[in-house]
Amino acid sequence: MKTTLIFLFTALTAFAQQGFDIKSLDRLGTNAKESTNITLEGDTLKLASSMLANNKDPASLKGMVDKLHGIYVRSFEFEETGKYNQADLEPLKTWLGNQGWTRIVDVKEKKEFTQIWLHTAEGKARGLAVIAAEPKQVTVVYIDGALSMEDIGKLSGNFGIPDMTFKNDGKKLKPESKKEE
Amino acid sequence: MNPDEFDLEDQLRQALQPKRAPAGFASKVMARTRAKQPWHQNWNGAITLAMVAGLVMAVVIPVTLASRRQEDRAIEARNQLITALGITKIQIRQVNEKISQRIKRNRPAL
């Protein structure tokens, strides 16, 4: 009996540690007008990286992409509201929470919300996830791999995005809004 | 010895004496030999050449196609990567704008 329980616990722990099956989000787009499904991992990601400019500029994307294990995007746009179920995002949120990811941003408005999750280990970012649910659009971005603060800065700044710096207070990474001018 | 035997001996010696081939004999023989070669021997060289060319093509064409396919895959992957990072950028920008608007709304009037 004790052995069975130990085996069951080990199996459940192993299952919980497995990566989230991003394909399970595809059903969100059943009624979508437009879909973007991107899965880049392993050799495909290396192939994509090989096409990026190979320079030593710290702002170059290649340096960042080379450290990643995978980039997954599911984005669906709908003609009308109510064409997808926000509850379908719950398994992902639960999984992220169970895996020790930190929800660093959670903005809720009337019928929409945006969350940014960060996975850290030994004080370093190991993954970034963005979940944005609007009445007529839902987007999930899941980036698996080592990301430095500079890399996150690149994602939020160097592509023409307003600066969004992250402050590490030793425990959690918090977004620090740019000061109003 | 019989004089007839002498005569026969001379005749034999004369008959067996090595004679020089007439001028151009060798080239005439070679020309005739070449002319009499069966058709498949004449085509051997061409067939061998065609086979070598075919083999080269059989190797070069698939390698070129595979290389082009790999390049297409790389371009497609690069485009997907740029799209993925672009979508990430937009989402972060939107959430940043929402936070900024909220800060503005909640800021106490001076």
Side-chain angles (χ1 to χ4, degrees):
Chain A
M1 180 68 181
K2 196 178 171 184
T3 315
T4 313
L5 280 174
I6 290 169
F7 174 76
L8 197 63
F9 177 76
T10 312
L12 283 172
T13 309
F15 179 73
Q17 284 174 347
Q18 282 176 347
F20 181 79
D21 182 14
I22 199 83
K23 286 179 185 169
S24 66
L25 295 174
D26 290 351
R27 65 178 165 196
L28 282 165
T30 310
N31 301 315
K33 178 182 73 174
E34 282 179 29
S35 305
T36 304
N37 288 14
I38 295 173
T39 298
L40 288 170
E41 56 189 359
D43 290 343
T44 316
L45 188 60
K46 282 181 191 162
L47 206 59
S49 174
S50 72
M51 295 296 285
L52 296 174
N54 190 7
N55 57 39
K56 290 182 179 174
D57 179 4
S60 84
L61 282 176
K62 187 171 168 55
M64 179 185 79
V65 174
D66 283 345
K67 290 181 287 178
L68 301 179
H69 302 305
I71 300 178
Y72 311 87
V73 174
R74 296 293 184 273
S75 186
F76 305 111
E77 215 177 310
F78 305 90
E79 293 268 19
E80 304 163 23
T81 58
K83 288 288 180 182
Y84 76 96
N85 190 357
Q86 282 195 3
D88 286 340
L89 293 165
E90 287 305 317
L92 174 61
K93 290 197 270 180
T94 307
W95 182 84
L96 291 170
N98 290 343
Q99 294 297 307
W101 288 58
T102 308
R103 191 169 51 200
I104 58 169
V105 175
D106 189 2
V107 180
K108 285 179 188 159
E109 287 180 354
K110 287 172 194 169
K111 286 181 179 176
E112 59 188 63
F113 70 86
T114 306
Q115 295 181 347
I116 298 180
W117 293 74
L118 198 65
H119 186 219
T120 55
E122 297 165 358
K124 289 177 182 173
R126 300 289 178 203
L128 179 84
V130 181
I131 306 172
E134 293 173 22
K136 289 185 182 180
Q137 190 171 356
V138 59
T139 302
V140 174
V141 175
Y142 177 78
I143 299 175
D144 178 22
L147 287 162
S148 65
M149 289 302 106
E150 288 79 21
D151 294 333
I152 295 172
K154 274 179 216 169
L155 281 174
S156 59
N158 283 10
F159 294 111
I161 298 170
D163 287 345
M164 187 176 175
T165 56
F166 289 81
K167 178 174 77 177
N168 192 344
D169 63 5
K171 288 182 179 175
K172 286 182 180 178
L173 292 158
K174 292 178 182 174
E176 188 179 63
S177 297
K178 197 180 177 184
K179 285 181 184 173
E180 298 288 326
E181 290 173 1
Chain B
M1 196 177 248
N2 191 347
D4 287 345
E5 284 180 14
F6 279 114
D7 190 38
L8 180 65
E9 198 178 323
D10 282 343
Q11 281 178 6
L12 270 172
R13 198 174 288 124
Q14 243 178 0
L16 295 173
Q17 197 178 16
K19 287 180 182 172
R20 287 184 67 88
F25 178 78
S27 56
K28 276 181 193 167
V29 170
M30 288 305 289
R32 189 163 293 187
T33 310
R34 239 181 271 129
K36 283 185 178 176
Q37 270 180 347
W39 66 271
H40 57 85
Q41 280 183 16
N42 283 340
W43 282 89
N44 264 358
I47 289 168
T48 308
L49 199 68
M51 281 172 70
V52 169
L55 273 172
V56 168
M57 296 292 267
V59 172
V60 168
I61 290 175
V63 167
T64 309
L65 285 176
S67 167
R68 190 165 292 178
R69 225 174 293 141
Q70 179 81 348
E71 199 180 333
D72 289 347
R73 274 185 60 216
I75 291 168
E76 171 70 17
R78 197 256 327 259
N79 292 344
Q80 286 199 342
L81 177 65
I82 298 297
T83 306
L85 295 177
I87 289 172
T88 310
K89 170 195 77 175
I90 290 166
Q91 294 306 321
I92 296 178
R93 182 178 62 194
Q94 283 177 349
V95 77
N96 200 24
E97 280 169 5
K98 283 175 187 172
I99 291 170
S100 298
Q101 283 170 6
R102 194 165 285 192
I103 289 169
K104 268 185 197 170
R105 274 203 306 268
N106 296 340
R107 186 192 290 164
L110 294 174

